[in-house]
Amino acid sequence: MRSILIILFFILTIVSLKSYGQKWMAGRFTDVKGNVETGFIRFGSGKAPIKGEAFIEFKEDKKAEPFKLSASDLKSFVIARDSFVVAHAPGNETWAHNDFDFVRVVLDEDIKLYAAGGVKTGSGGGGISIDPGIGAGVGTGGIGAGVGGGVSIPIGRGGGGTYQKQVYYYGDNPAHMKRLNDKNFEDIMCDMMGDFPDIVDKIHAKVYILENIDTLIAYFKQVKAEGKTTVTSITN
């Protein structure tokens, strides 16, 4: 009986996550001309307006007729607590079936941190993800970016290559993104968080590594929000 209940729990969880990805949520977008529109947004599904581009659906209010916006129509958008910007996959990576896709803005510092969910290196790929967790921060172009907590929902899948559930990138803008990896993690994150010596010391001491970057991000946001150079460390 216990095994059956556990199986049912996971089935209901999967169904819930899939439905979340299609849920209309309050948000706003900025188009390529700099115009900002506020209303309700959800990630697009089905046939894309432009082949090879991710898209969102937008409506001004709950009763309005929705319309589609391709990645090339947009600079950025906010959905739930997260901000997304338009990007091409860097290097030899591909995302889902789209050449032009969305990445989540995790930290909007001088060196920015981006996240893409379900990425495949080589052939194939896997789009972006929504993180409905509550977070603090500032998004690109003045729109709020959330991170920490919650569930990551991969959008899209692809075949071939090496699959990774969530991949992080860094750069001063989406056009200059590079993959964050074990080798460059310490240097990049220390540069990004250099105003907070306590955090830098913990990164050098390997308290925070790529494997537990979510914990580091939460700690950084806590320190920054409190305006202190030291706070009690968040641990797993």
Side-chain angles (χ1 to χ4, degrees), residues 29-45:
F29 70 83
T30 302
D31 66 19
V32 291
K33 296 180 179 180
N35 300 312
V36 179
E37 295 288 341
T38 301
F40 292 87
I41 296 174
R42 70 180 179 185
F43 282 93
S45 61

Side-chain angles (χ1 to χ4, degrees), residues 39-104:
F40 292 87
I41 296 174
R42 70 180 179 185
F43 282 93
S45 61
K47 187 176 181 180
I50 300 177
K51 186 177 180 180
E53 292 191 15
F55 69 98
I56 61 170
E57 295 180 81
F58 175 84
K59 57 183 179 180
E60 293 182 352
D61 55 61
K62 292 182 178 180
K63 295 182 179 180
E65 187 70 22
F67 58 90
K68 297 178 180 180
L69 290 161
S70 292
S72 58
D73 297 322
L74 301 166
K75 284 185 177 179
S76 59
F77 66 92
V78 173
I79 187 170
R81 298 282 182 125
D82 287 325
S83 299
F84 295 89
V85 293
V86 177
H88 285 283
N92 66 340
E93 299 178 18
T94 54
W95 299 332
H97 305 292
N98 302 311
D99 299 319
F100 220 19
D101 217 323
F102 307 120
V103 293
R104 181 165 57 91

Side-chain angles (χ1 to χ4, degrees), residues 17 20-22 25 42-43 54 56 77-85 95-96 98 101-106 114-119 125-133 145-157 163-169 214:
L17 295 183
Y20 178 85
Q22 296 303 311
M25 289 173 281
R42 70 180 179 185
F43 282 93
I56 61 170
F77 66 92
V78 173
I79 187 170
R81 298 282 182 125
D82 287 325
S83 299
F84 295 89
V85 293
W95 299 332
N98 302 311
D101 217 323
F102 307 120
V103 293
R104 181 165 57 91
V105 182
V106 179
Y114 304 99
V119 170
I128 47 80
S129 63
I130 305 171
D131 183 354
V147 71
V151 180
S152 233
I153 308 170
I155 308 296
R157 288 288 193 276
Y163 177 78
Q164 289 182 268
K165 184 178 180 182
Q166 178 129 293
V167 172
Y168 289 91
Y169 301 94
D214 288 343

Side-chain angles (χ1 to χ4, degrees), residues 103-135:
V103 293
R104 181 165 57 91
V105 182
V106 179
L107 294 175
D108 189 16
E109 305 300 313
D110 291 337
I111 302 174
K112 294 171 176 54
L113 186 67
Y114 304 99
V119 170
K120 294 198 177 213
T121 302
S123 59
I128 47 80
S129 63
I130 305 171
D131 183 354
I134 297 173

